[in-house]
């Protein structure tokens, strides 16, 4: 695949998520796809379930991609997401706040499929927007008592 094909395939994943096209997302990800990011490691179905949960919790979700670098079969993409937290997500209740979320994901593409994704998000920036006290308490509870999050489940 050439650089443009790698870039377009990597971006197609985000577009499928934004538009809630879960079958298209399934077709874009390799059967052995893995996601590693922000303390999580997901299989393909867990990743799709996580994205379905995220899409359900945040209305008016939009993404911009101001920087994209392609090197061989890998695309590194800086993103800026905007959304309103209107639903429960990862155990935290909706707060109705408008959020701006910055991060970077790297997607490895082979034969028109995304094989792997690595992501990092500016979680401190998100905490500051949501309200540090609530997230600090939640983080302390989860860390202190070693509470495990349920694995994401893909919806049909």
């Amino acid at each position: 695949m050439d650089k443009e094909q790698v870039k377009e395939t990597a971006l197609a994943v985000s577009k499928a998520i934004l538009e809630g096209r879960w079958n298209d997302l399934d077709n874009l990800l390799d059967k052995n796809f893995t996601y590693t990011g922000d303390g999580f490691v997901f299989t393909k179905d867990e990743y799709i379930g996580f994205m379905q949960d995220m899409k359900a919790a945040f209305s008016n979700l939009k993404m911009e991609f101001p920087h994209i670098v392609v090197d061989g079969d890998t695309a590194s993409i800086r993103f800026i997401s905007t959304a309103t937290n209107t639903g429960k997500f990862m155990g935290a209740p909706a707060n109705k706040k408008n959020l701006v979320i910055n991060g970077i994901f790297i997607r490895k593409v082979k034969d028109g499929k995304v094989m792997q994704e690595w992501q990092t998000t500016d979680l401190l920036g998100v905490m500051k927007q949501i309200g540090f006290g609530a997230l600090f308490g939640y983080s302390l509870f989860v860390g202190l008592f070693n509470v495990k999050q349920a694995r994401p489940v893909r919806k049909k």
Side-chain angles (χ1 to χ4, degrees):
M1 296 181 69
D2 66 26
K3 281 185 166 191
E4 192 60 29
Q5 290 170 315
V6 169
K7 174 183 166 183
E8 290 306 314
T9 301
L11 286 173
V13 169
S14 295
K15 291 174 185 173
I17 293 166
L18 287 169
E19 296 168 9
R21 293 183 286 110
W22 308 117
N23 287 334
D24 289 348
L25 178 60
D26 181 69
N27 290 329
L28 286 163
L29 304 177
D30 185 77
K31 67 180 180 175
N32 296 314
F33 169 85
T34 58
Y35 167 89
T36 305
D38 297 330
F40 296 103
V41 176
F42 294 144
T43 64
K44 176 180 178 175
D45 282 340
E46 290 170 337
Y47 175 80
I48 293 172
F50 184 79
M51 293 302 160
Q52 289 171 324
D53 291 345
M54 181 195 63
K55 182 92 166 94
F58 296 94
S59 61
N60 304 316
L61 181 60
K62 295 177 179 64
M63 291 182 93
E64 296 176 29
F65 309 105
H67 296 99
I68 302 169
V69 177
V70 177
D71 183 19
D73 62 359
T74 305
S76 177
I77 303 172
R78 186 169 80 83
F79 67 87
I80 302 169
S81 297
T82 56
T84 305
N85 180 208
T86 53
K88 182 178 173 182
F89 186 64
M90 295 178 58
N95 61 22
K96 309 288 191 237
K97 291 190 176 189
N98 294 316
L99 304 175
V100 178
I101 303 160
N102 291 277
I104 297 172
F105 52 78
I106 301 168
R107 292 182 177 143
K108 182 176 181 175
V109 179
K110 182 177 178 189
D111 298 326
K113 302 272 188 182
V114 175
M115 309 296 290
Q116 291 177 283
E117 178 176 328
W118 302 269
Q119 179 176 325
T120 186
T121 306
D122 176 14
L123 294 177
L124 181 57
V126 173
M127 282 195 279
K128 287 168 69 176
Q129 293 174 72
I130 290 175
F132 187 75
L135 275 182
F136 178 72
Y138 176 76
S139 300
L140 185 63
F141 176 76
V142 169
L144 189 61
F145 296 105
N146 200 24
V147 175
K148 300 280 187 213
Q149 283 281 18
R151 304 295 294 176
V153 176
R154 181 177 178 175
K155 289 80 175 157
K156 298 292 175 191

